[in-house]
Amino acid sequence: MTALLAAACDAVADNWRGELESGGTIVVDPGTHRALRQDGGTTRQLWDGVHRLEDGSTVIVRDGVAVPTEEMYRAWAGGPTASPIYADRWCMQLVRKTCGFDDACDTVAPCLQARTLLAEAERERRDLAITRGPAADTVRSATEPRCRQALADPAFPACASLTSGGDSRCRELVLKVCGAKDACADSPACDAARQLQSLETDERLTVADPAALTGTGQQCLEALHNDFFVACDTP
């Protein structure tokens, strides 16, 4: 997929730009993939490592060159960016988070509470459809904001199956740099890998098929060959 997207890139494509969480703008050249930071009228080389953007996504830079993301390829190709099907269905996301994609945590209290909230939200949606007709699609149910808050609430932890294996592409990266027993848990590479895995999980909650490769999942696959993510050599 990446190769096909790369082949579709136009030679005169514009630079890809993203706002850095720490301030400034990252600029990536479509031809050389060189990564620069623009801030306050100055432009300088972006240091190697993982850079978080304001929207929560990340860009990996090694040897001054950005590892292209799916979003970059789409932008350079002029293609649209698909909107995740559950992007604003927060109660559905909460159920998938607490119960697991495989329902491995189906009987635990957070999962049961999340299913109750989802049932309330679905009931409200049906009532709105009856009372407002087509206009109901523009009205959010009262329960959805509660689910959005619960997504960040420690009382609704993620089911372990989301990150312990299965279709997580970032899991291999975490195992590589953190160690099988978290022997290198304090290393910068481990912290960055865990951030990527958390972002990957958030993305998987919003898409119809959680087994599908997400943008962050692709970054993790590419990061396995990035010297910044050095393997943990502590037994």
Side-chain angles (χ1 to χ4, degrees):
M1 176 63 74
T2 297
L4 291 176
L5 288 169
C9 289
D10 192 319
V12 295
D14 293 333
N15 291 336
W16 180 89
R17 309 173 73 86
E19 299 304 315
L20 291 162
E21 186 178 61
S22 59
T25 302
I26 178 174
V27 180
V28 180
D29 182 273
T32 64
H33 298 169
R34 185 185 180 201
L36 302 174
R37 176 176 179 174
Q38 295 180 347
D39 190 14
T42 63
T43 300
R44 58 183 182 275
Q45 182 68 50
L46 198 62
W47 50 266
D48 287 2
V50 178
H51 300 269
R52 191 180 182 96
L53 305 184
E54 287 185 346
D55 63 3
S57 62
T58 58
V59 173
I60 298 172
V61 178
R62 64 169 182 244
D63 298 328
V65 175
V67 177
T69 64
E70 296 295 320
E71 181 183 349
M72 290 180 191
Y73 282 129
R74 291 192 189 100
W76 293 329
T81 301
S83 177
I85 189 171
Y86 298 133
D88 58 356
R89 297 286 299 279
W90 298 314
C91 290
M92 177 63 75
Q93 288 187 44
L94 186 64
V95 167
R96 302 176 99 199
K97 174 186 177 182
T98 57
C99 302
F101 299 129
D102 53 0
D103 291 331
C105 300
D106 198 37
T107 60
V108 301
C111 171
L112 298 175
Q113 294 171 15
R115 290 194 184 281
T116 298
L117 289 171
L118 176 61
E120 291 180 10
E122 294 298 331
R123 183 171 60 253
E124 291 167 355
R125 288 168 64 90
R126 290 193 297 269
D127 291 344
L128 286 170
I130 294 174
T131 59
R132 298 187 179 236
D137 291 338
T138 63
V139 181
R140 191 178 302 284
S141 73
T143 304
E144 285 289 348
R146 294 168 57 194
C147 291
R148 186 178 192 180
Q149 293 178 343
L151 282 167
D153 188 340
F156 290 87
C159 179
S161 68
L162 269 63
T163 56
S164 63
D167 299 306
S168 169
R169 273 71 173 194
C170 293
R171 176 61 177 167
E172 183 178 353
L173 181 65
V174 170
L175 286 173
K176 172 187 174 182
V177 301
C178 300
K181 297 181 179 180
D182 288 337
C184 300
D186 294 332
S187 69
C190 178
D191 181 62
R194 291 196 185 282
Q195 290 185 46
L196 287 171
Q197 187 178 37
S198 178
L199 290 170
E200 179 198 35
T201 299
D202 290 342
E203 291 173 353
R204 295 173 69 202
L205 294 175
T206 68
V207 296
D209 179 11
L213 179 63
T214 69
T216 302
Q218 178 64 38
Q219 284 185 279
C220 284
L221 293 178
E222 294 165 344
L224 287 168
H225 308 290
N226 187 329
D227 292 339
F228 173 80
F229 292 97
V230 61
C232 177
D233 58 2
T234 304

